[in-house]
Amino acid sequence: MNRPLVQTWRALRARPTTTTHVRAYARRRVGYSIEELESEQVPLIKQVQEIVHPSQHTQLQKTRTISQTADSDSLGFVLEAELHRRRKEAFKQLHELYDHIQGGHRLKDREPEQTDHEQQKLSRTEYGAFLEGFVEMGDIKGSVRVLRDMRESGTQPVNTQYAMVMRAAANAFRAPEVFAVGEEMQRAGVEDYSGFFNSLLRCLGRSGQIEYAYAVYLEMTERRVEPQGPGSAALIVGLAQIGEVDISLQVMKATLGRGTTLGQDVFMGLLHEAGIHMHHAAYVFAFRQLADVFGAQLPEGDSLAGLDVAARAGDVALAGEIVERLRQSNTPLEEKHFEPLLAAVLARKQWMPAMRVLNMMRQAGYGKAAATLRPLERAVASAEGPEQLAETVFAVVTDCRNEQTLAVDHVTLDALVSGLAQSGCVEAAASRLTTWYTQLGVVRSTSSYECVIEGCVARRNKTVAERMLMQLIDERLQPSQRIYEAMIHIALLQPNYEDAFVYLEAMKAHAMVPAWRTLAAIVRRCARVRDVRAQTALKEMRRLGLVVTPVLASFAQNAGRSPRNMGALKSSETEPKDVSLNDLFDNDSFRV
């Protein structure tokens, strides 16, 4: 038959019944030219490859066409849209080609010695080409379909093909497809499930389904299937991110015990989450691995978190090493770096090293605020014998006053006195306020007296508080607002609370505005005894712009009873019931 190529092309398109048409249709869909219709037939594997990976000539031609039509600003978006359209078209072409073949059509000529069943059956190489094509296109369901067709046709897939599909499903976070591949492996009689479990572990770990991933890990442990690095890494980081730092540390130790190598990012992830959740053991383990094995330099944020962890656990070695590494990396050391180190030393009750750290901070211009020595204050207040502990620390301070001169000042002694006052030993605190400061030649300040007077509030000790106030005035110091408010609260706790208004007027005379807490305490105290000054205090709060809550206003209006108690009182009140004598004697209990 010698007719023009155009007529041949039209005739083939008009007759969709012959095997020749199927061959021409497939060639046309994958982009072959009309001249190739009469040339040597293109193998099936090459056609699949042409669908998945088009020729360079076709790509350059389409890119040149787009570049000529699109402007420079939108060229990137147009190329991206063209790439998406191309993948979508290739996805459709590959499915159509595979459906035609599975429908009974062959893309190669019939050989006389082959039966119909043999002609419809694809070879292992052709199945592999389709399998790789579906995987390359990201069609995991199509890949599972090819595996199923291979098993049903008697062509057993090899383990590498199962692993290829499971790896693609895991990378795409497609856990159902991983299970589907596992079911195909089970139907095919494959006994090696290590690839299935590892792919499923990695998929669940990276997709954030950590609970299921840990369940798979436990199943692998029972089946004695060794988890691989990527799956274990995803599980370790995922467990740490949901707060299960203990379990994450156990999995990491088990993984390293099997000889599996983990990357630096896994240790950094565990260290970061351990710092957030204040987990000392996990932070130390990850820190030692990063420092000794990788020699990594920690970010400043993770270093600060590590200092907080060390301060809470009292790990002086960890805090000191972190500070030293920050210094070696030329990071400017500030107060936020030294305070956790000082807290760690104080938590271990290493008083002399604590004085050295404090003196070093003072040399750098830090540590002059009372908040820096708050750990020392809490240590004295929570001790079983606060007076003995305070005397021990004072003896250390006395011994180092010549060497650590900057560490011995009223802030350090204020912390000791405040710890004594908070522990309830207000008499001992008042006594040490006189003796300690005089012995070391330290000048008392207003904050020194605040520590003792505020401690008297919890003990309702008006005598010591007034004595400290008089001593403060004798030393020509001005009482602060905190002292006045503490005196008001102490006075309100007494049966006769008239002194509270004296201190309140003294505050106003010194242009001090009472806090909401102080005025609210006055309102409640006056309302309990039906003192009309409760309404005066409410008006003063409104005049100062302080919020008067409905509960506080109702408390003052109802003479010290809250609306809840008033409701209970009303519900408990019952009207008296008149009982006649006839009703009373009709009762069986009164019959003789």
Side-chain angles (χ1 to χ4, degrees):
M1 183 173 58
N2 190 10
R3 55 182 176 181
L5 292 177
V6 177
Q7 296 180 6
T8 303
W9 175 252
R10 292 175 180 175
L12 290 174
R13 294 185 63 182
R15 293 186 300 171
T17 55
T18 62
T19 307
T20 307
H21 166 71
V22 176
R23 180 169 64 249
Y25 170 79
R27 291 180 179 178
R28 174 173 56 86
R29 293 294 292 173
V30 299
Y32 287 98
S33 61
I34 300 178
E35 288 77 5
E36 289 178 306
L37 292 174
E38 295 185 350
S39 62
E40 184 178 358
Q41 183 178 354
V42 180
L44 175 62
I45 298 177
K46 188 175 181 181
Q47 297 184 40
V48 175
Q49 293 176 352
E50 180 65 23
I51 293 177
V52 180
H53 302 287
S55 62
Q56 295 293 332
H57 175 74
T58 305
Q59 293 182 357
L60 291 174
Q61 186 177 4
K62 290 184 178 181
T63 304
R64 188 182 300 112
T65 304
I66 294 174
S67 301
Q68 292 175 356
T69 56
D71 55 358
S72 58
D73 296 334
S74 61
L75 180 59
F77 298 99
V78 175
L79 289 175
E80 185 176 356
E82 174 61 24
L83 178 61
H84 177 71
R85 188 199 63 79
R86 168 61 192 161
R87 291 185 63 86
K88 186 176 180 180
E89 181 182 355
F91 181 87
K92 181 180 179 181
Q93 292 174 6
L94 192 61
H95 271 278
E96 289 180 354
L97 181 59
Y98 188 73
D99 291 339
H100 272 288
I101 295 174
Q102 292 299 108
H105 302 286
R106 291 294 295 163
L107 297 184
K108 59 182 179 180
D109 295 334
R110 176 186 297 271
E111 298 181 3
E113 62 274 8
Q114 290 180 328
T115 62
D116 293 341
H117 177 72
E118 291 176 343
Q119 289 182 0
Q120 295 177 7
K121 179 180 177 181
L122 292 177
S123 64
R124 180 181 297 275
T125 308
E126 292 171 337
Y127 272 124
F130 275 107
L131 189 64
E132 293 177 1
F134 281 120
V135 170
E136 183 69 23
M137 298 301 300
D139 185 8
I140 312 300
K141 292 184 178 180
S143 304
V144 176
R145 176 189 174 190
V146 174
L147 291 175
R148 183 178 65 251
D149 293 340
M150 291 177 68
R151 176 180 55 81
E152 293 176 353
S153 64
T155 304
Q156 178 64 33
V158 295
N159 291 337
T160 56
Q161 292 175 327
Y162 286 120
M164 176 179 62
V165 180
M166 286 189 295
R167 185 166 53 251
N171 293 334
F173 309 138
R174 306 286 292 275
E177 277 72 11
V178 178
F179 273 106
V181 178
E183 292 176 355
E184 284 298 322
M185 295 175 65
Q186 186 176 9
R187 294 191 185 100
V190 179
E191 298 181 356
D192 185 13
Y193 286 95
S194 60
F196 164 70
F197 280 113
N198 279 288
S199 297
L200 185 60
L201 180 64
R202 181 175 58 176
C203 172
L204 295 173
R206 292 184 176 179
S207 60
Q209 305 180 45
I210 308 303
E211 294 84 355
Y212 296 110
Y214 185 63
V216 172
Y217 175 81
L218 295 178
E219 181 71 18
M220 295 174 69
T221 305
E222 293 180 1
R223 291 174 177 263
R224 296 182 179 181
V225 177
E226 182 176 345
Q228 297 177 358
S232 299
L235 179 62
I236 290 169
V237 178
L239 285 171
Q241 289 176 348
I242 64 174
E244 299 292 344
V245 185
D246 284 325
I247 304 177
S248 178
L249 181 60
Q250 294 175 5
V251 175
M252 174 175 281
K253 289 182 178 180
T255 303
L256 295 176
R258 290 189 297 267
T260 305
T261 303
L262 296 175
Q264 179 179 340
D265 57 334
V266 182
F267 293 101
M268 287 295 296
L270 178 60
L271 180 134
H272 179 74
E273 297 300 330
I276 293 176
H277 296 92
M278 303 296 287
H279 196 286
H280 177 252
Y283 190 94
V284 172
F285 185 83
F287 179 80
R288 290 265 63 89
Q289 293 288 329
L290 289 169
D292 300 339
V293 179
F294 297 97
Q297 180 63 40
L298 302 183
E300 187 178 1
D302 291 334
S303 298
L304 290 174
L307 288 173
D308 292 338
V309 172
R312 173 173 292 188
D315 193 342
V316 182
L318 177 62
E321 187 171 355
I322 293 176
V323 172
E324 180 62 22
R325 285 182 170 272
L326 288 172
R327 187 186 64 80
Q328 292 177 358
S329 62
N330 297 326
T331 301
L333 296 179
E334 301 176 1
E335 190 169 11
K336 60 184 179 182
H337 302 118
F338 287 109
E339 283 188 348
L341 177 60
L342 179 63
V345 177
L346 291 173
R348 287 293 180 182
K349 296 183 179 180
Q350 300 177 2
W351 312 120
M352 184 60 73
M355 293 299 104
R356 296 193 187 99
V357 175
L358 182 59
N359 187 75
M360 181 174 58
M361 293 178 64
R362 299 281 175 80
Q363 289 176 352
Y366 305 125
K368 298 179 181 180
T372 304
L373 290 173
R374 203 75 71 192
L376 176 60
E377 179 181 328
R378 289 194 294 264
V380 175
S382 60
E384 294 182 359
E387 292 190 45
Q388 292 80 2
L389 181 60
E391 288 290 348
T392 302
V393 178
F394 178 74
V396 174
V397 174
T398 305
D399 295 338
C400 68
R401 60 179 175 177
N402 295 326
E403 298 178 357
Q404 318 295 336
T405 55
L406 297 179
V408 181
D409 60 353
H410 74 90
V411 179
T412 306
L413 296 181
D414 287 351
L416 294 175
V417 172
S418 178
L420 280 175
Q422 290 181 11
S423 66
C425 304
V426 290
E427 292 284 354
S431 174
R432 268 64 171 190
L433 185 62
T434 303
T435 59
W436 282 353
Y437 290 76
T438 304
Q439 182 177 346
L440 295 179
V442 177
V443 179
R444 288 179 290 270
S445 64
T446 304
S447 61
S448 305
Y449 289 96
E450 288 177 357
C451 300
V452 181
I453 295 176
E454 289 181 346
C456 294
V457 177
R459 306 297 298 179
R460 301 187 179 187
N461 197 326
K462 184 180 179 182
T463 304
V464 176
E466 289 180 344
R467 188 170 74 244
M468 290 295 100
L469 181 60
M470 292 299 102
Q471 184 176 341
L472 179 144
I473 296 175
D474 291 342
E475 293 183 3
R476 300 183 182 278
L477 295 176
Q478 176 62 41
S480 63
Q481 181 172 348
R482 292 176 56 184
I483 292 179
Y484 278 124
E485 290 184 345
M487 295 301 298
I488 291 174
H489 285 285
I490 294 173
L492 292 175
L493 295 173
Q494 309 302 318
N496 185 2
Y497 58 91
E498 292 298 327
D499 289 343
F501 295 97
V502 176
Y503 295 124
L504 181 63
E505 293 301 325
M507 287 184 65
K508 295 180 181 178
H510 291 88
M512 297 179 185
V513 179
W516 183 92
R517 174 173 173 267
T518 303
L519 291 176
I522 294 176
V523 171
R524 293 191 182 95
R525 184 67 177 89
C526 294
R528 288 191 182 97
V529 295
R530 300 187 179 184
D531 191 340
V532 295
R533 286 177 290 187
Q535 298 296 332
T536 306
L538 284 177
K539 294 179 181 179
E540 183 70 13
M541 293 178 67
R542 293 189 178 96
R543 187 185 67 81
L544 295 175
L546 300 178
V547 177
V548 178
T549 61
V551 176
L552 183 63
S554 176
F555 190 86
Q557 184 178 1
N558 297 324
R561 292 194 295 268
S562 64
R564 182 184 303 174
N565 297 334
M566 291 293 294
L569 182 63
K570 290 180 180 179
S571 61
S572 63
E573 294 177 353
T574 56
E575 297 180 359
K577 183 179 179 181
D578 296 332
V579 182
S580 63
L581 293 178
N582 294 330
D583 296 336
L584 183 63
F585 288 116
D586 286 341
N587 196 334
D588 294 337
S589 61
F590 287 93
R591 291 179 182 177
V592 180

